[in-house]
Amino acid sequence: MATKRTVDLITEAFSDVMTARRKYELKSPNGDILKEIFFPPLTRHDRIQAQAATGTDEAMAISTRLLCQLAENEDGTKAFASADAENLKRFLPETVLNELELFMMDIQVDVNTAKNE
């Protein structure tokens, strides 16, 4: 019997993870839910595509492009167009964009710990 290739073992083991989406509740300044945005798992391929599309190594430009590339509505359609990146960067408070992008990247930040460092 042939042994499975390592890449096949790994990708099969993570196939369920790759189809799971996480939900983010985008809230207004007064706390009302404006919209639910869904994110598939971020892959290295996604990062490379975003970097190529932005034509820069600048992390904030790439992360905003990733946001537009990955964010989905509940029905799976794209929540943003690529061209929306500029409006997001110009017309949203930095904290809102940071929070969205950190969620997309599945990075949890303890604000109290970060303030003390």
Side-chain angles (χ1 to χ4, degrees):
M1 183 172 167
T3 304
K4 279 191 178 184
R5 295 174 8 159
T6 304
V7 68
D8 295 330
L9 287 170
I10 295 169
T11 55
E12 286 173 16
F14 285 89
S15 64
D16 288 344
V17 172
M18 294 306 297
T19 59
R21 298 187 310 164
R22 294 177 307 113
K23 178 174 71 172
Y24 179 84
E25 293 179 340
L26 183 59
K27 296 181 180 176
S28 69
N30 66 2
D32 294 334
I33 296 173
L34 295 173
K35 182 162 185 66
E36 293 177 340
I37 300 175
F38 296 81
F39 292 95
L42 178 63
T43 65
R44 181 66 48 97
H45 178 75
D46 297 326
R47 287 179 189 265
I48 292 168
Q49 278 188 317
Q51 184 171 0
T54 58
T56 182
D57 289 339
E58 207 282 310
M60 287 192 286
I62 294 168
S63 64
T64 304
R65 175 63 185 226
L66 271 171
L67 175 65
C68 292
Q69 186 177 307
L70 294 179
E72 299 175 346
N73 296 309
E74 188 171 6
D75 65 4
T77 59
K78 294 296 178 194
F80 301 107
S82 296
D84 293 336
E86 284 306 311
N87 284 344
L88 293 170
K89 290 188 283 188
R90 290 175 191 238
F91 303 115
L92 276 182
E94 178 74 7
T95 54
V96 173
L97 205 48
N98 282 343
E99 195 174 303
L100 262 167
E101 292 171 355
L102 288 172
F103 183 88
M104 169 190 67
M105 293 180 202
D106 201 15
I107 298 172
Q108 288 85 35
V109 176
D110 182 341
V111 176
N112 294 325
T113 302
K115 285 180 181 178
N116 293 329
E117 291 182 357

